[in-house]
Amino acid sequence: MFRAACLVGMLAAPAAAQTITVETLDPESDPQIVIVPPDQEIELFSLQQELGTVQSEVYEPAVTGTGAQLRGLDKLTGDVVDFELDNGYSIMFGSLRVDLGQCRHPEDNATGEAYAFLTIQEGRESTLDPVFQGWMVASSPALNALDHARYDIWVLRCKAASSAEGN
């Protein structure tokens, strides 16, 4: 009965008002009938004036750091571990293998605006799809985050080439 009423309401002419039957979860109450008036037509028209100039974003050149400083959290034990990883290297954090492809940062801000390309897999020799693969941004860790039941990993900063030479 309800399906038939909905079907009849959908097939009605667009200019006619629609009838919607709303049923509650209580089997003892009667259904409520709502009559929806037809929508007014939408008219598109040109303003015949310029609304402003569109400008592109300011390009800020990025440099590649020698590696990244990452932070890992074991949600089960509450342990927090900071570790450094060079570009092209891997590290095991719990049962996860973290591979750092590259860490980049603006020329004038190696710490706050760092972003790193990470591949995170379950197990040392995992052949399955990665748990995470993509760019993580240090200033916005929730933008592209690891979704794992036990572990969280995020980027803190890039290792700048000048700081690596001084060590």
Side-chain angles (χ1 to χ4, degrees):
M1 180 74 172
F2 176 70
R3 288 184 184 169
C6 287
L7 185 59
V8 169
M10 286 185 216
L11 296 177
Q18 290 185 347
T19 302
I20 300 174
T21 304
V22 180
E23 295 183 6
T24 64
L25 295 176
D26 184 10
E28 296 177 10
S29 68
D30 293 332
Q32 179 183 8
I33 297 176
V34 179
I35 298 175
V36 180
D39 292 335
Q40 296 178 356
E41 289 186 27
I42 298 175
E43 182 182 345
L44 300 177
F45 58 92
S46 173
L47 293 176
Q48 302 296 326
Q49 66 183 23
E50 193 173 315
L51 295 176
T53 348
V54 177
Q55 297 179 354
S56 63
E57 294 180 19
V58 176
Y59 173 73
E60 191 171 336
V63 296
T64 303
T66 60
Q69 183 176 8
L70 307 172
R71 178 168 288 163
L73 168 67
D74 184 337
K75 294 185 241 182
L76 186 64
T77 63
D79 293 336
V80 177
V81 177
D82 289 351
F83 48 93
E84 286 190 0
L85 194 57
D86 289 335
N87 292 341
Y89 285 86
S90 301
I91 193 168
M92 290 298 295
F93 176 69
S95 64
L96 299 180
R97 188 182 83 203
V98 181
D99 305 331
L100 174 63
Q102 199 174 83
C103 191
R104 297 179 185 172
H105 61 85
E107 291 174 328
D108 60 342
N109 189 358
T111 58
E113 296 298 324
Y115 51 100
F117 188 82
L118 298 174
T119 302
I120 302 174
Q121 297 185 350
E122 189 78 47
R124 184 180 296 274
E125 301 296 328
S126 180
T127 57
L128 302 173
D129 289 336
V131 177
F132 175 87
Q133 185 171 35
W135 292 95
M136 280 191 186
V137 182
S139 62
S140 303
L143 184 64
N144 195 16
L146 168 68
D147 183 22
H148 193 271
R150 181 168 180 177
Y151 301 106
D152 275 342
I153 295 175
W154 61 95
V155 178
L156 295 177
R157 65 185 55 84
C158 283
K159 289 175 23 181
S162 60
S163 66
E165 293 168 1
N167 289 340

